Amino acid sequence: MITSENEIRIRYDEVDKMGYVYHGNYAKYYHISRTELLRKIGISDKVLEGHNILLPVIEMNIKYIKPIFYDEIITIKTSLHDIPGSRMIFHHEVRNHNNEVINRAESMVAFVDINTRKPMKAPQLIINKIKSYIEK
């Protein structure tokens, strides 16, 4: 398993009229955390694009447990449990400053050829980088 944690301070423009973080912003937080997890193992967006690979989100499941408010700091723990085939599933857990779980989610991305826009299997370069961390 590969794990990455990121802290984000909630900005004023991310809360709704009730004072809660607007639910749609969580997708942005997961994106940040997925990107940082992949960067941690040497797979940046620049590397992916250099190999003609896109990673569009094809599915997201979110469980909202508690609200979070303006100016609070959240910690997003993202993990990757498996070696990908043509898809990768990321597991997300969001905690507040009291270390309480406020949100859990899974996001699935697919490997897509940048030119044909067709799904593809994960390239060996990426599998090797992921394997080197999962098998530690």
Side-chain angles (χ1 to χ4, degrees):
M1 175 168 58
I2 306 168
T3 301
S4 178
E5 288 191 9
N6 300 281
E7 285 188 348
I8 294 175
R9 181 178 297 275
I10 303 304
R11 297 182 317 244
Y12 186 73
D13 68 327
E14 295 172 326
V15 299
D16 60 19
K17 195 167 187 156
M18 296 181 289
Y20 300 164
V21 166
Y22 176 68
H23 70 276
N25 285 317
Y26 285 91
K28 177 174 50 176
Y29 304 152
Y30 307 143
H31 176 80
I32 291 166
S33 196
R34 275 194 314 270
T35 299
E36 291 305 316
L37 182 145
L38 291 174
R39 182 175 282 129
K40 172 182 174 177
I41 63 173
I43 305 171
S44 67
D45 288 330
K46 193 172 190 175
V47 168
L48 291 169
E49 290 174 3
H51 286 87
N52 294 323
I53 301 165
L54 297 174
L55 288 180
V57 174
I58 59 171
E59 187 174 322
M60 188 173 295
N61 297 300
I62 304 170
K63 172 70 175 170
Y64 300 96
I65 300 166
K66 296 180 96 169
I68 193 74
F69 305 93
Y70 166 68
D71 207 36
E72 290 190 49
I73 295 175
I74 58 172
T75 301
I76 306 159
K77 179 179 175 183
T78 296
S79 57
L80 181 62
H81 299 180
D82 302 307
I83 305 296
S86 59
R87 301 171 179 181
M88 282 193 293
I89 299 173
F90 294 89
H91 305 269
H92 311 280
E93 183 177 86
V94 182
R95 292 183 174 266
N96 64 15
H97 62 282
N98 293 323
N99 204 32
E100 300 169 303
V101 175
I102 59 168
N103 184 288
R104 284 194 178 99
E106 285 185 354
S107 58
M108 183 186 303
V109 298
F111 289 91
V112 172
D113 182 281
I114 205 166
N115 298 310
T116 66
R117 303 294 171 137
K118 294 193 184 230
M120 60 187 280
K121 289 193 182 244
Q124 199 60 47
L125 164 82
I126 296 195
I127 291 172
N128 290 344
K129 287 185 181 276
I130 292 170
K131 271 187 179 180
S132 71
Y133 276 81
I134 288 181
E135 294 176 354
K136 283 184 181 180

